[in-house]
Amino acid sequence: MQIYWVSPTAQRAAVIAAVELPVYDYCKKRLLSVFGDNVANHFLSSLAASLGSAVASTPIDVVRTRLMNQRKLKHNLRSEAYIYRGTADCFYHTFKYEGFWALYKGFVPTWFRMGPWNIIFFITYEQLKHFY
């Protein structure tokens, strides 16, 4: 049994961490002159960080979902339907046959899911940092 979705899940986690934290820090520093170091700055910076992470992670989510669903497809069809060989193959065929925007299916729900998480996380983090 091959588990195709472990690699995209790990890649997604790495990409989210690699995008969210620098985007948050950059936005926070740029907005210091406008808002100061307060909740409004942290709110807008975390919203921008969630947008950045959604842009970066949605293609990986699409690929991961397709890889996870192909196991069920392979089991049910019992025919020689095309099955992706891995992450790169899935990216390639999705882009080739469906176009660039197919990699961003589900972008808005992803951003709406990441937005509240980032806002709560970063505002809580900053408040605890100021408290201690």
Side-chain angles (χ1 to χ4, degrees):
M1 178 172 111
Q2 293 179 334
I3 301 175
Y4 292 107
W5 60 89
V6 171
S7 179
T9 301
Q11 292 165 349
R12 178 184 178 273
V15 165
I16 287 174
V19 171
E20 272 181 5
L21 298 174
V23 169
Y24 177 79
D25 284 341
Y26 176 79
C27 291
K28 182 180 152 189
K29 287 177 185 171
R30 297 286 293 185
L31 294 173
L32 277 174
S33 61
V34 178
F35 294 104
D37 193 15
N38 61 21
V39 175
N41 183 343
H42 306 152
F43 177 83
L44 291 173
S45 298
S46 60
L47 195 60
S50 66
L51 177 62
S53 65
V55 167
S57 71
T58 300
I60 298 170
D61 282 338
V62 169
V63 168
R64 181 181 63 164
T65 301
R66 288 174 182 224
L67 291 173
M68 288 168 60
N69 287 338
Q70 82 175 358
R71 183 166 182 248
K72 185 179 2 174
L73 177 71
K74 185 178 183 179
H75 178 69
N76 289 340
L77 287 181
R78 298 189 196 276
S79 68
E80 290 301 316
Y82 184 78
I83 303 296
Y84 302 115
R85 292 181 300 230
T87 304
D89 187 50
C90 187
F91 266 112
Y92 172 76
H93 282 93
T94 301
F95 181 79
K96 181 178 178 182
Y97 294 111
E98 297 178 53
F100 174 78
W101 294 112
L103 295 171
Y104 282 94
K105 290 180 179 179
F107 171 78
V108 173
T110 298
W111 187 29
F112 283 7
R113 180 179 47 82
M114 290 178 154
W117 156 252
N118 280 315
I119 292 166
I120 292 168
F121 173 77
F122 283 117
I123 290 176
T124 303
Y125 168 73
E126 294 290 349
Q127 295 302 308
L128 289 173
K129 200 166 80 171
H130 286 298
F131 182 69
Y132 290 109

